[in-house]
Amino acid sequence: MTAVHDARTTRTRLYEQVDPLGYESLLGDAEHAVLTRLRAVLEADVKPLVNDCWDRAEFPHQIRGPIAALDLMAPPEVGEPGALFKGFRMLELARTDVSVAVFFGAQGTLFRNSVLLGGSPEQVAALDDGIRSWRTKGVFALTEPDHGSDVAGGLETTARRDGDGWVIDGAKRWIGGAEYADLITVVARDEADGQVKAFLVDRHAPGVEVEEIRRKVSLRIVNNGHITLTGVRVPEAMRLQDVNSFTDVNRLLRSMRADVAWLAVGAQAGAFEAAVRYAKARTQFGRPIAGFQLVQDKLATMLGNLTASLGMAVRLSQLEDGPGHTDADAALAKGWIARHTRETVALAREVAGGNGITLDTDVARFFADAEAIYTFEGTNEINQLVVGRSITGLSAFTR
């Protein structure tokens, strides 16, 4: 790697191969140092495990300690991080493995943001230290068995006020990490006023059942859960006080959708790096295939997709750190980047030829996991309609 000059110092580039325009120079020195430490932990403690765990569809619980020790949610030298650092943090995790990034995001983005953005100051003060240190593990549960894209209007999980608490009934599906959570942020509809509220539910409370979803071909390392809630009692103190409508839930989702855009960038980065490694090492007709014109065409297309995706994600984070971004901004970025991620990982698979369907080249994981990225936090169709509504001022959503 070579050195790059920025306004603060001279430092080694982490993303030289996947970031030719040097967006990483926008990071501060402390942020860059944290990402450098993260890279070292991922290379030493995580990457050697992922292919075997992916093959067995098992989560490597031994990675939790090294990752938690980095204090990535609010590193001491950085403080509460901005969106740009959080984006590069997700990129770094995903370029190693998408499932590992989803594992971190379930705790560090989905669950933590549900408390930070949806909780009262007292709830945040009581819970956030435990969330940051992973002493309190949690997940965010919105999607239901029969309601994904239409969950805003179709939400069936109910909450009924009963004395000084609530009774929750319903089901949630595709909840990553639910089996290992201490608390589940459950989004439910209040039977009294029809409004959407959110509750911190004890994973081991009577009436909570979690079943692992098996037979997946994407995100095989992630333990996705089907949660059934039957007469689950929750005290009023565990209701997130600043979530009182689906508009409030949308505040949480806006940040989460931006996080998935960065996840998709990281998947492209990992696939591109794997394809370049393979192309330089694989010899056919007496020379490395990296010297073939058609292989270089594929690599150039991949890098173009990756660079454009990174630029869009960076700008989205700059807006989040500044004046803020709209639902349409996040939907545009997530949808466009996820679509181009599909092309990038498919080209990586092509570069690796028949070997690209094995885990040994790494590209197969990214190829399969891109399908999950394409769907969650808004399908392509839903994101397109959000953007289309912003363009025209007319909603094309069906009712």
Side-chain angles (χ1 to χ4, degrees):
M1 293 188 292
T2 59
V4 63
H5 291 276
D6 67 20
R8 293 163 293 279
T9 187
T10 299
R11 63 194 186 196
T12 301
R13 291 186 64 178
L14 278 174
Y15 303 104
E16 182 176 20
Q17 188 175 35
V18 300
D19 178 20
L21 299 185
Y23 287 111
E24 72 171 283
S25 67
L26 299 171
L27 293 163
D29 289 340
E31 296 170 322
H32 194 271
V34 173
L35 293 170
T36 301
R37 291 201 299 275
L38 174 59
R39 169 76 59 92
V41 168
L42 291 173
E43 292 292 325
D45 299 323
V46 179
K47 190 172 182 180
L49 304 174
V50 293
N51 280 334
D52 286 343
C53 288
W54 202 94
D55 195 31
R56 297 194 304 269
E58 294 178 359
F59 183 77
H61 289 282
Q62 60 267 48
I63 74 173
R64 194 187 306 272
I67 290 178
L70 291 167
D71 199 7
L72 293 172
M73 295 180 214
E77 62 269 61
V78 172
E80 190 62 42
L84 187 64
F85 170 79
K86 290 188 287 188
F88 272 97
R89 180 184 65 191
M90 182 58 70
L91 185 161
E92 183 61 41
L93 290 159
R95 67 171 283 278
T96 297
D97 182 74
V98 175
S99 290
V100 171
V102 170
F103 148 73
F104 178 85
Q107 174 84 2
T109 299
L110 299 177
F111 180 60
R112 186 172 187 237
N113 277 0
S114 73
V115 174
L116 286 181
L117 302 179
S120 66
E122 294 76 17
Q123 288 174 319
V124 173
L127 291 167
D128 193 50
D129 282 348
I131 296 171
R132 281 178 48 188
S133 66
W134 298 78
R135 294 193 309 275
T136 302
K137 298 181 291 296
V139 293
F140 177 78
L142 172 62
T143 302
E144 299 185 345
D146 296 323
H147 300 284
S149 296
D150 72 340
V151 73
L155 188 75
E156 292 185 15
T157 300
T158 61
R160 173 175 55 84
R161 189 65 191 257
D162 184 39
D164 60 354
W166 298 80
V167 178
I168 299 179
D169 291 280
K172 300 295 180 179
R173 189 165 176 83
W174 295 114
I175 311 306
E179 179 64 32
Y180 314 119
D182 301 309
L183 294 174
I184 303 170
T185 299
V186 173
V187 179
R189 192 177 303 279
D190 185 346
E191 289 184 349
D193 61 13
Q195 292 295 327
V196 172
K197 295 179 170 62
F199 303 83
L200 296 174
V201 176
D202 186 336
R203 155 70 183 89
H204 300 288
V208 178
E209 295 183 13
V210 179
E211 177 186 359
E212 182 180 359
I213 299 172
R214 307 289 297 179
R215 301 166 67 88
K216 297 184 301 176
V217 297
S218 286
L219 300 181
R220 287 174 56 78
I221 293 176
V222 176
N223 179 292
N224 287 101
H226 181 108
I227 304 171
T228 303
L229 305 125
T230 306
V232 180
R233 300 193 65 86
V234 181
E236 166 65 12
M238 297 301 277
R239 180 177 69 83
L240 292 176
Q241 299 297 305
D242 286 347
V243 179
N244 295 292
S245 68
F246 203 84
T247 299
D248 294 329
V249 174
N250 253 336
R251 283 191 293 113
L252 314 182
L253 296 178
R254 191 176 303 130
S255 175
M256 296 169 187
R257 188 166 288 148
D259 217 44
V260 176
W262 277 97
L263 178 75
V265 176
Q268 290 188 60
F272 176 73
E273 290 172 331
V276 171
R277 281 196 307 271
Y278 184 86
K280 289 182 176 180
R282 175 67 168 174
T283 299
Q284 292 286 277
F285 304 104
R287 61 195 177 106
I289 65 170
F292 295 163
Q293 290 180 351
L294 292 179
V295 170
Q296 291 190 1
D297 174 72
K298 296 179 197 297
L299 295 175
T301 299
M302 293 168 68
L303 185 59
N305 286 346
L306 176 52
T307 304
S309 298
L310 181 56
M312 187 176 286
V314 165
R315 183 56 185 152
L316 189 67
S317 291
Q318 289 175 328
L319 290 173
E320 186 173 342
D321 282 336
H325 59 67
T326 65
D327 290 339
D329 295 332
L332 178 65
K334 191 277 174 176
W336 193 94
I337 295 171
R339 287 196 303 278
H340 286 79
T341 296
R342 277 177 132 187
E343 180 184 32
T344 299
V345 300
L347 289 171
R349 218 273 325 142
E350 288 181 25
V351 167
N355 292 326
I357 68 168
T358 72
L359 292 170
D360 297 333
T361 62
D362 287 332
V363 298
R365 282 185 290 109
F366 296 109
F367 181 74
D369 289 344
E371 290 305 300
I373 296 171
Y374 186 69
T375 299
F376 63 60
E377 295 303 334
T379 63
N380 180 67
E381 292 80 4
I382 291 297
N383 283 315
Q384 291 290 79
L385 292 178
V386 171
V387 176
R389 182 177 59 193
S390 175
I391 294 169
T392 65
L394 300 171
S395 175
F397 287 91
T398 58
R399 288 177 172 82

